[in-house]
Amino acid sequence: MLITHDIRCALDTVVDLVNTVPEDDATPDGLPDVAALEEFVSTHAISDVGALADHDLTAVRSVRARFAAVFAAPDARSAATLINELVAAASTTPRLTDHDGYDWHIHYFAPGASVADHLAADCGMSLALFVVAGEQERLRRCEAPDCRRAFVDLSRNRSRRYCDSRTCGNRLHVAAYRARRKEAAR
């Protein structure tokens, strides 16, 4: 599957967006206010976004919840249904563009679209490409028991299990090693 720069950017954006969802009641929301949304837009270099307001934050949180459902979808048909609903609600308008030093790529959002529609269209279409390619299982959640962060497994053999091998993966490997050593010492 060919993953172009714009698809990769959209994938990184949707993963980071999904990972702003609080994991439980004790975890703070990763998008608590409009300032945090502005920072998210800036960090991800989301183009063609005007001034943001409370209604944008509410709309982005709604889109975020629907993207989280895509990552939790049990099969491709379920994921496709969710993605179709997201993209349809965004009123996609595919167009070629070459802005900010990037070569030609496709934007799926209509000019002047809200940030929520922008995210739903561009990120939704990027996730749709995975479903079309039969790669929906690459949209995963970390397997570490204390972490449920979303990620896209871009490994060749679809073997990635953790959102970050240096943190979650390493922590579990060390714990398993210690458990084996403790068992061997008995």
Side-chain angles (χ1 to χ4, degrees):
M1 177 174 177
L2 176 64
I3 299 176
T4 60
H5 176 265
D6 54 315
I7 293 170
R8 182 60 192 255
C9 288
L11 291 173
D12 291 344
T13 300
V14 73
V15 164
D16 289 348
L17 181 62
V18 168
N19 288 332
T20 65
V21 174
E23 292 184 29
D24 54 37
D25 292 337
T27 308
D29 192 313
L31 288 177
D33 52 31
V34 174
L37 179 59
E38 289 170 343
E39 177 66 26
F40 184 88
V41 166
S42 175
T43 299
H44 291 86
I46 299 172
S47 62
D48 201 20
V49 173
L52 299 171
D54 286 333
H55 68 274
D56 292 305
L57 179 62
T58 301
V60 168
R61 285 178 176 165
S62 175
V63 166
R64 173 183 75 176
R66 295 170 83 185
F67 278 131
V70 171
F71 278 82
D75 54 48
R77 182 165 306 284
S78 301
T81 298
L82 293 164
I83 293 168
N84 283 339
E85 291 170 359
L86 269 164
V87 172
S91 301
T92 58
T93 306
R95 62 190 167 96
L96 289 169
T97 183
D98 66 339
H99 61 87
D100 298 329
Y102 295 109
D103 206 359
W104 290 105
H105 59 282
I106 301 173
H107 279 186
Y108 294 97
F109 61 93
S114 70
V115 68
D117 284 348
H118 179 127
L119 292 168
D122 272 0
C123 296
M125 290 303 298
S126 292
L127 294 178
L129 294 172
F130 276 79
V131 174
V132 167
E135 301 284 356
Q136 182 260 335
E137 75 274 0
R138 288 183 182 266
L139 308 177
R140 298 190 175 166
R141 291 289 188 159
C142 185
E143 291 184 17
D146 59 342
C147 179
R148 296 298 299 151
R149 292 180 57 85
F151 68 94
V152 178
D153 179 3
L154 297 177
S155 67
R156 251 179 212 222
N157 61 357
R158 298 174 193 88
S159 62
R160 188 169 161 198
R161 298 173 49 207
Y162 307 109
C163 63
D164 186 347
S165 61
R166 289 182 303 250
T167 55
C168 290
N170 202 25
R171 187 176 62 246
L172 287 177
H173 289 113
V174 168
Y177 170 78
R178 289 181 178 158
R180 287 190 307 271
R181 294 280 310 240
K182 185 176 179 181
E183 186 64 31
R186 288 183 179 191

